[in-house]
PDB file of all heavy atoms in Angstrom:
ATOM      1  N   LEU P  23      83.875  65.488  40.506  1.00 94.00           N
ATOM      2  CA  LEU P  23      82.917  65.687  39.419  1.00 94.00           C
ATOM      3  C   LEU P  23      81.563  65.049  39.719  1.00 94.00           C
ATOM      4  O   LEU P  23      80.537  65.495  39.219  1.00 94.00           O
ATOM      5  CB  LEU P  23      83.492  65.120  38.113  1.00 94.00           C
ATOM      6  CG  LEU P  23      84.786  65.803  37.641  1.00 94.00           C
ATOM      7  CD1 LEU P  23      85.264  65.181  36.339  1.00 94.00           C
ATOM      8  CD2 LEU P  23      84.593  67.291  37.464  1.00 94.00           C
ATOM      9  N   ASP P  24      81.557  63.998  40.544  1.00 94.00           N
ATOM     10  CA  ASP P  24      80.270  63.364  40.844  1.00 94.00           C
ATOM     11  C   ASP P  24      79.369  64.325  41.611  1.00 94.00           C
ATOM     12  O   ASP P  24      78.166  64.376  41.387  1.00 94.00           O
ATOM     13  CB  ASP P  24      80.485  62.063  41.632  1.00 94.00           C
ATOM     14  CG  ASP P  24      81.390  62.271  42.843  1.00 94.00           C
ATOM     15  OD1 ASP P  24      82.275  63.154  42.762  1.00 94.00           O
ATOM     16  OD2 ASP P  24      81.216  61.590  43.863  1.00 94.00           O
ATOM     17  N   ARG P  25      79.986  65.103  42.509  1.00 95.00           N
ATOM     18  CA  ARG P  25      79.188  66.081  43.245  1.00 95.00           C
ATOM     19  C   ARG P  25      78.717  67.195  42.320  1.00 95.00           C
ATOM     20  O   ARG P  25      77.570  67.649  42.410  1.00 95.00           O
ATOM     21  CB  ARG P  25      80.012  66.685  44.381  1.00 95.00           C
ATOM     22  CG  ARG P  25      80.238  65.745  45.542  1.00 95.00           C
ATOM     23  CD  ARG P  25      78.927  65.275  46.127  1.00 95.00           C
ATOM     24  NE  ARG P  25      79.129  64.502  47.347  1.00 95.00           N
ATOM     25  CZ  ARG P  25      78.175  63.823  47.961  1.00 95.00           C
ATOM     26  NH1 ARG P  25      76.945  63.800  47.468  1.00 95.00           N
ATOM     27  NH2 ARG P  25      78.424  63.156  49.056  1.00 95.00           N
ATOM     28  N   ALA P  26      79.601  67.642  41.423  1.00 95.00           N
ATOM     29  CA  ALA P  26      79.213  68.679  40.476  1.00 95.00           C
ATOM     30  C   ALA P  26      78.034  68.193  39.643  1.00 95.00           C
ATOM     31  O   ALA P  26      77.069  68.934  39.399  1.00 95.00           O
ATOM     32  CB  ALA P  26      80.395  69.031  39.584  1.00 95.00           C
ATOM     33  N   ALA P  27      78.087  66.921  39.230  1.00 95.00           N
ATOM     34  CA  ALA P  27      77.003  66.366  38.423  1.00 95.00           C
ATOM     35  C   ALA P  27      75.698  66.381  39.209  1.00 95.00           C
ATOM     36  O   ALA P  27      74.628  66.716  38.678  1.00 95.00           O
ATOM     37  CB  ALA P  27      77.353  64.941  38.006  1.00 95.00           C
ATOM     38  N   GLN P  28      75.800  66.053  40.482  1.00 95.00           N
ATOM     39  CA  GLN P  28      74.608  66.027  41.331  1.00 95.00           C
ATOM     40  C   GLN P  28      73.961  67.417  41.405  1.00 95.00           C
ATOM     41  O   GLN P  28      72.740  67.550  41.295  1.00 95.00           O
ATOM     42  CB  GLN P  28      75.049  65.574  42.725  1.00 95.00           C
ATOM     43  CG  GLN P  28      74.001  64.875  43.526  1.00 95.00           C
ATOM     44  CD  GLN P  28      74.548  64.472  44.900  1.00 95.00           C
ATOM     45  OE1 GLN P  28      75.766  64.376  45.105  1.00 95.00           O
ATOM     46  NE2 GLN P  28      73.645  64.228  45.825  1.00 95.00           N
ATOM     47  N   VAL P  29      74.797  68.433  41.567  1.00 96.00           N
ATOM     48  CA  VAL P  29      74.274  69.789  41.669  1.00 96.00           C
ATOM     49  C   VAL P  29      73.724  70.261  40.323  1.00 96.00           C
ATOM     50  O   VAL P  29      72.641  70.857  40.243  1.00 96.00           O
ATOM     51  CB  VAL P  29      75.374  70.756  42.186  1.00 96.00           C
ATOM     52  CG1 VAL P  29      74.910  72.195  42.125  1.00 96.00           C
ATOM     53  CG2 VAL P  29      75.775  70.391  43.601  1.00 96.00           C
ATOM     54  N   ALA P  30      74.454  69.943  39.231  1.00 96.00           N
ATOM     55  CA  ALA P  30      73.997  70.336  37.887  1.00 96.00           C
ATOM     56  C   ALA P  30      72.625  69.725  37.607  1.00 96.00           C
ATOM     57  O   ALA P  30      71.718  70.376  37.079  1.00 96.00           O
ATOM     58  CB  ALA P  30      75.012  69.888  36.846  1.00 96.00           C
ATOM     59  N   ARG P  31      72.486  68.460  38.006  1.00 95.00           N
ATOM     60  CA  ARG P  31      71.205  67.774  37.793  1.00 95.00           C
ATOM     61  C   ARG P  31      70.088  68.471  38.573  1.00 95.00           C
ATOM     62  O   ARG P  31      68.983  68.676  38.074  1.00 95.00           O
ATOM     63  CB  ARG P  31      71.338  66.312  38.223  1.00 95.00           C
ATOM     64  CG  ARG P  31      70.065  65.500  38.154  1.00 95.00           C
ATOM     65  CD  ARG P  31      70.346  64.031  38.384  1.00 95.00           C
ATOM     66  NE  ARG P  31      71.116  63.435  37.299  1.00 95.00           N
ATOM     67  CZ  ARG P  31      70.587  63.000  36.156  1.00 95.00           C
ATOM     68  NH1 ARG P  31      69.288  63.088  35.947  1.00 95.00           N
ATOM     69  NH2 ARG P  31      71.338  62.493  35.218  1.00 95.00           N
ATOM     70  N   TYR P  32      70.413  68.852  39.783  1.00 95.00           N
ATOM     71  CA  TYR P  32      69.421  69.524  40.625  1.00 95.00           C
ATOM     72  C   TYR P  32      68.940  70.804  39.959  1.00 95.00           C
ATOM     73  O   TYR P  32      67.741  71.070  39.853  1.00 95.00           O
ATOM     74  CB  TYR P  32      70.044  69.831  41.992  1.00 95.00           C
ATOM     75  CG  TYR P  32      69.186  70.646  42.924  1.00 95.00           C
ATOM     76  CD1 TYR P  32      68.186  70.035  43.684  1.00 95.00           C
ATOM     77  CD2 TYR P  32      69.373  72.019  43.050  1.00 95.00           C
ATOM     78  CE1 TYR P  32      67.401  70.779  44.546  1.00 95.00           C
ATOM     79  CE2 TYR P  32      68.587  72.764  43.909  1.00 95.00           C
ATOM     80  CZ  TYR P  32      67.593  72.143  44.661  1.00 95.00           C
ATOM     81  OH  TYR P  32      66.817  72.890  45.508  1.00 95.00           O
ATOM     82  N   TRP P  33      69.883  71.607  39.462  1.00 95.00           N
ATOM     83  CA  TRP P  33      69.492  72.869  38.841  1.00 95.00           C
ATOM     84  C   TRP P  33      68.730  72.648  37.540  1.00 95.00           C
ATOM     85  O   TRP P  33      67.710  73.263  37.284  1.00 95.00           O
ATOM     86  CB  TRP P  33      70.736  73.743  38.601  1.00 95.00           C
ATOM     87  CG  TRP P  33      71.140  74.531  39.815  1.00 95.00           C
ATOM     88  CD1 TRP P  33      70.299  75.051  40.744  1.00 95.00           C
ATOM     89  CD2 TRP P  33      72.452  74.890  40.214  1.00 95.00           C
ATOM     90  NE1 TRP P  33      71.016  75.723  41.710  1.00 95.00           N
ATOM     91  CE2 TRP P  33      72.344  75.650  41.412  1.00 95.00           C
ATOM     92  CE3 TRP P  33      73.732  74.669  39.693  1.00 95.00           C
ATOM     93  CZ2 TRP P  33      73.450  76.164  42.075  1.00 95.00           C
ATOM     94  CZ3 TRP P  33      74.828  75.195  40.351  1.00 95.00           C
ATOM     95  CH2 TRP P  33      74.684  75.934  41.543  1.00 95.00           C
ATOM     96  N   ALA P  34      69.275  71.715  36.742  1.00 94.00           N
ATOM     97  CA  ALA P  34      68.664  71.493  35.428  1.00 94.00           C
ATOM     98  C   ALA P  34      67.242  70.966  35.565  1.00 94.00           C
ATOM     99  O   ALA P  34      66.329  71.410  34.859  1.00 94.00           O
ATOM    100  CB  ALA P  34      69.526  70.542  34.612  1.00 94.00           C
ATOM    101  N   THR P  35      67.055  70.030  36.493  1.00 94.00           N
ATOM    102  CA  THR P  35      65.705  69.486  36.628  1.00 94.00           C
ATOM    103  C   THR P  35      64.755  70.501  37.258  1.00 94.00           C
ATOM    104  O   THR P  35      63.544  70.403  37.105  1.00 94.00           O
ATOM    105  CB  THR P  35      65.699  68.202  37.487  1.00 94.00           C
ATOM    106  OG1 THR P  35      66.414  68.467  38.684  1.00 94.00           O
ATOM    107  CG2 THR P  35      66.341  67.048  36.756  1.00 94.00           C
ATOM    108  N   SER P  36      65.314  71.487  37.971  1.00 92.00           N
ATOM    109  CA  SER P  36      64.433  72.532  38.499  1.00 92.00           C
ATOM    110  C   SER P  36      64.118  73.588  37.451  1.00 92.00           C
ATOM    111  O   SER P  36      63.366  74.516  37.730  1.00 92.00           O
ATOM    112  CB  SER P  36      65.069  73.227  39.700  1.00 92.00           C
ATOM    113  OG  SER P  36      65.662  72.331  40.558  1.00 92.00           O
ATOM    114  N   GLY P  37      64.774  73.490  36.289  1.00 92.00           N
ATOM    115  CA  GLY P  37      64.414  74.401  35.217  1.00 92.00           C
ATOM    116  C   GLY P  37      65.446  75.452  34.867  1.00 92.00           C
ATOM    117  O   GLY P  37      65.148  76.403  34.136  1.00 92.00           O
ATOM    118  N   ALA P  38      66.659  75.315  35.369  1.00 94.00           N
ATOM    119  CA  ALA P  38      67.688  76.289  35.016  1.00 94.00           C
ATOM    120  C   ALA P  38      68.723  75.624  34.114  1.00 94.00           C
ATOM    121  O   ALA P  38      69.220  74.552  34.438  1.00 94.00           O
ATOM    122  CB  ALA P  38      68.367  76.804  36.285  1.00 94.00           C
ATOM    123  N   PRO P  39      69.044  76.257  32.986  1.00 95.00           N
ATOM    124  CA  PRO P  39      70.086  75.688  32.130  1.00 95.00           C
ATOM    125  C   PRO P  39      71.454  75.777  32.810  1.00 95.00           C
ATOM    126  O   PRO P  39      71.705  76.700  33.581  1.00 95.00           O
ATOM    127  CB  PRO P  39      70.045  76.548  30.875  1.00 95.00           C
ATOM    128  CG  PRO P  39      69.329  77.783  31.254  1.00 95.00           C
ATOM    129  CD  PRO P  39      68.445  77.468  32.402  1.00 95.00           C
ATOM    130  N   VAL P  40      72.315  74.791  32.518  1.00 96.00           N
ATOM    131  CA  VAL P  40      73.637  74.739  33.143  1.00 96.00           C
ATOM    132  C   VAL P  40      74.693  74.565  32.059  1.00 96.00           C
ATOM    133  O   VAL P  40      74.533  73.731  31.171  1.00 96.00           O
ATOM    134  CB  VAL P  40      73.725  73.556  34.140  1.00 96.00           C
ATOM    135  CG1 VAL P  40      75.102  73.494  34.779  1.00 96.00           C
ATOM    136  CG2 VAL P  40      72.653  73.679  35.211  1.00 96.00           C
ATOM    137  N   VAL P  41      75.728  75.384  32.112  1.00 96.00           N
ATOM    138  CA  VAL P  41      76.889  75.178  31.250  1.00 96.00           C
ATOM    139  C   VAL P  41      78.050  74.812  32.156  1.00 96.00           C
ATOM    140  O   VAL P  41      78.342  75.516  33.123  1.00 96.00           O
ATOM    141  CB  VAL P  41      77.229  76.452  30.443  1.00 96.00           C
ATOM    142  CG1 VAL P  41      78.526  76.246  29.677  1.00 96.00           C
ATOM    143  CG2 VAL P  41      76.098  76.801  29.505  1.00 96.00           C
ATOM    144  N   ILE P  42      78.677  73.671  31.856  1.00 96.00           N
ATOM    145  CA  ILE P  42      79.752  73.195  32.729  1.00 96.00           C
ATOM    146  C   ILE P  42      81.087  73.375  32.044  1.00 96.00           C
ATOM    147  O   ILE P  42      81.266  72.977  30.889  1.00 96.00           O
ATOM    148  CB  ILE P  42      79.541  71.708  33.089  1.00 96.00           C
ATOM    149  CG1 ILE P  42      78.201  71.554  33.822  1.00 96.00           C
ATOM    150  CG2 ILE P  42      80.678  71.192  33.955  1.00 96.00           C
ATOM    151  CD1 ILE P  42      77.884  70.128  34.194  1.00 96.00           C
ATOM    152  N   HIS P  43      82.004  73.986  32.741  1.00 96.00           N
ATOM    153  CA  HIS P  43      83.387  74.018  32.260  1.00 96.00           C
ATOM    154  C   HIS P  43      84.195  73.039  33.090  1.00 96.00           C
ATOM    155  O   HIS P  43      84.213  73.109  34.323  1.00 96.00           O
ATOM    156  CB  HIS P  43      83.995  75.420  32.395  1.00 96.00           C
ATOM    157  CG  HIS P  43      85.456  75.416  32.073  1.00 96.00           C
ATOM    158  ND1 HIS P  43      86.424  75.273  33.025  1.00 96.00           N
ATOM    159  CD2 HIS P  43      86.091  75.479  30.873  1.00 96.00           C
ATOM    160  CE1 HIS P  43      87.614  75.272  32.437  1.00 96.00           C
ATOM    161  NE2 HIS P  43      87.437  75.385  31.140  1.00 96.00           N
ATOM    162  N   VAL P  44      84.850  72.108  32.390  1.00 96.00           N
ATOM    163  CA  VAL P  44      85.682  71.139  33.092  1.00 96.00           C
ATOM    164  C   VAL P  44      87.135  71.441  32.761  1.00 96.00           C
ATOM    165  O   VAL P  44      87.495  71.580  31.587  1.00 96.00           O
ATOM    166  CB  VAL P  44      85.326  69.701  32.676  1.00 96.00           C
ATOM    167  CG1 VAL P  44      86.208  68.706  33.415  1.00 96.00           C
ATOM    168  CG2 VAL P  44      83.863  69.421  32.964  1.00 96.00           C
ATOM    169  N   ASP P  45      87.937  71.559  33.786  1.00 95.00           N
ATOM    170  CA  ASP P  45      89.364  71.845  33.621  1.00 95.00           C
ATOM    171  C   ASP P  45      89.982  70.871  32.620  1.00 95.00           C
ATOM    172  O   ASP P  45      89.725  69.672  32.672  1.00 95.00           O
ATOM    173  CB  ASP P  45      90.046  71.707  34.982  1.00 95.00           C
ATOM    174  CG  ASP P  45      91.447  72.285  34.980  1.00 95.00           C
ATOM    175  OD1 ASP P  45      92.163  72.099  33.975  1.00 95.00           O
ATOM    176  OD2 ASP P  45      91.813  72.928  35.974  1.00 95.00           O
TER     177      ASP P  45
END
Side-chain angles (χ1 to χ4, degrees):
Chain P
L23 298 181
D24 51 329
R25 287 302 187 189
Q28 208 180 340
V29 172
R31 176 171 292 278
Y32 174 82
W33 276 326
T35 50
S36 317
V40 179
V41 174
I42 300 179
H43 173 266
V44 180
D45 193 320

